[in-house]
Amino acid sequence: MRNSSKKSSSKSKKYVYAFGAKTDGNAKMRDLLGGKGANLAEMAAIGLPVPPGFTISTDVCTYFYDHEKRYPSVLKKDVAAAIKQIEKQLGKKFGSGKNPLLVSVRSGARESMPGMMDTVLNLGLNDETVRAIGAEAEDMRFAYDSYRRFIQMYSDVVLGVDHHDFEEILEEHKANNGLELDTEISADDWVGIIEKFKALVEDALGKPFPQDPSEQLWGAIGAVFGSWMTHRAQTYRRLHDIPGSWGTAVNVQAMVFGNMGDTSATGVAFTRNPSTGEKALYGEFLVNAQGEDVVAGIRTPQDITEKARLEAGSSKASLEQLMPEAFAEFQTYCDKLEGHYRDMQDLEFTIERGKLWML
């Protein structure tokens, strides 16, 4: 009788927490949702434009390692329900050949730590959905660029195919065609590069790059939990007295795109100057880019504020100049977050065709 009761309570346990129009969590739930998940929930709860998503709790990570890398029996059903909730909010469908939903997958422990899985963006893209994304955006170059990024990221962080092998294909194409920047590569050329990327994966693994979005999603979820026990992560925890029992959460969030042309951008910022403490926005951004481009060092980022641009003597326009409405809205949210948390904030943002999203 006791076993039956235990089984019943295990089945009723909550493992998946939504954020967006419906938000289940808050900043106080850091132990359960991880730092990233707790802050996404808090930002959504106070009315900031956060792309909808959900967090798989740290309890699942603990369960995963206590049960020979298996998941709680209810998890697949709970994740499917959470995906449907995002679909409903955005009017998109995961894996559909028409108006498809794409998501990002990120790890999120209580404390930020090296050794964890890197972010996977654009998950849900395949040979069919890429055409739908391109038709919807009226920009096939953007769609194929997003697809090659996804193949490269997913293959590296989930499938274990080295990032540099893809870079070699890309650099060879640019060298052969006299190109310097990825943004100069045409849609048709991306199609050819994508075929080379997929061939690389198949050669390395003996099987094709996964086309099923559900398989892609569960592969990324498994990679996040797997990264909790990498040698690097374990060493960091040992040096900083972080218990292995804490586990990591997984954050799955609807994609928004900073690489949809000249009215789109992505950036990072502090609400104050981290060196001097001056109350002034401090950060950088790139037009027509995704998040990893800002930190990759391939393109020179631009200053967010006009003041910073002038002080740096930069000839490149600031965000304040280029997109004044989005900048003003961003400034408002920065002030709101600093007042709410009563501390300096470190922020990521994306502007998709003029619409600001807080990440």
Side-chain angles (χ1 to χ4, degrees):
M1 193 70 176
R2 282 196 302 270
N3 287 341
S4 162
S5 161
K6 186 182 277 188
K7 191 173 180 181
S8 165
S9 70
S10 166
K11 279 193 172 182
S12 62
K13 187 167 186 175
K14 187 174 179 66
Y15 291 113
V16 176
Y17 293 77
F19 55 83
K22 177 183 183 295
T23 299
D24 299 330
N26 58 56
K28 294 177 181 175
M29 297 169 69
R30 192 180 186 94
D31 291 0
L32 191 63
L33 304 181
K36 183 82 178 170
N39 285 326
L40 283 167
E42 187 76 6
M43 286 198 301
I46 64 173
L48 269 62
V50 174
F54 59 90
T55 300
I56 301 173
S57 76
T58 55
D59 282 348
V60 176
C61 187
T62 305
Y63 185 102
F64 183 76
Y65 285 106
D66 285 349
H67 294 80
E68 300 177 334
K69 297 188 176 180
R70 295 195 305 271
Y71 299 116
S73 58
V74 297
L75 189 65
K76 287 220 169 188
K77 181 181 168 187
D78 290 351
V79 166
I83 287 283
K84 284 193 181 301
Q85 195 172 86
I86 303 174
E87 291 174 339
K88 188 176 178 182
Q89 287 180 61
L90 297 179
K92 298 174 183 281
K93 192 160 180 61
F94 190 56
S96 171
K98 185 178 180 183
N99 200 18
L101 169 69
L102 304 181
V103 298
S104 63
V105 179
R106 293 175 170 88
S107 61
R110 293 190 206 182
E111 302 293 335
S112 180
M113 51 182 274
M116 300 297 294
M117 191 197 85
D118 293 330
T119 299
V120 174
L121 303 175
N122 309 331
L123 190 146
L125 278 174
N126 58 28
D127 293 347
E128 181 184 12
T129 57
V130 69
R131 291 191 291 272
I133 288 286
E136 182 194 348
E138 298 180 340
D139 186 349
M140 291 308 302
R141 193 209 160 278
F142 150 74
Y144 286 120
D145 179 28
S146 299
Y147 191 20
R148 70 88 187 176
R149 289 169 186 264
F150 170 56
I151 293 171
Q152 189 169 354
M153 271 186 278
Y154 191 91
S155 299
D156 180 28
V157 304
V158 177
L159 303 178
V161 183
D162 198 286
H163 172 83
H164 296 293
D165 294 340
F166 297 97
E167 284 299 312
E168 281 182 14
I169 292 171
L170 199 50
E171 291 307 313
E172 183 181 358
H173 177 88
K174 288 193 287 192
N176 290 343
N177 291 275
L179 306 175
E180 288 188 25
L181 301 174
D182 293 357
T183 49
E184 297 172 315
I185 298 174
S186 70
D188 288 343
D189 283 354
W190 277 129
V191 172
I193 291 166
I194 285 165
E195 289 309 311
K196 289 180 180 178
F197 277 15
K198 290 195 294 185
L200 171 63
V201 173
E202 190 155 3
D203 286 348
L205 302 180
K207 58 183 180 181
F209 184 83
Q211 290 287 305
D212 178 8
S214 181
E215 181 188 343
Q216 295 171 0
L217 177 61
W218 283 99
I221 290 169
V224 172
F225 289 134
S227 71
W228 181 247
M229 285 298 181
T230 61
H231 177 72
R232 189 177 177 209
Q234 290 188 67
T235 300
Y236 183 87
R237 287 201 296 275
R238 188 168 62 250
L239 291 172
H240 294 84
D241 295 322
I242 296 173
S245 59
W246 278 9
T248 182
V250 180
N251 299 294
V252 179
Q253 187 172 24
M255 278 298 304
V256 291
F257 295 98
N259 58 331
M260 288 185 82
D262 291 341
T263 59
S264 301
T266 190
V268 292
F270 293 95
T271 53
R272 293 173 185 248
N273 186 311
S275 300
T276 66
E278 179 192 1
K279 185 168 170 40
L281 277 179
Y282 181 90
E284 49 194 24
F285 78 106
L286 282 172
V287 174
N288 195 18
Q290 283 200 308
E292 75 273 17
D293 297 335
V294 180
V295 294
I298 298 166
R299 291 165 59 191
T300 304
Q302 294 159 242
D303 292 301
I304 287 180
T305 66
E306 187 59 9
K307 181 185 175 190
R309 183 191 76 82
L310 292 170
E311 286 176 352
S314 172
S315 60
K316 291 193 170 187
S318 64
L319 182 68
E320 189 174 1
Q321 271 183 309
L322 277 181
M323 303 178 190
E325 289 182 10
F327 171 81
E329 189 181 356
F330 182 65
Q331 179 74 72
T332 300
Y333 295 142
C334 288
D335 292 342
K336 185 171 186 176
L337 281 169
E338 195 174 82
H340 182 77
Y341 283 103
R342 299 184 179 184
D343 201 355
M344 182 177 85
Q345 300 298 298
D346 178 4
L347 307 163
E348 298 173 45
F349 66 92
T350 288
I351 299 167
E352 181 184 277
R353 291 185 165 175
K355 179 171 174 53
L356 174 66
W357 292 95
M358 301 295 290
L359 305 179

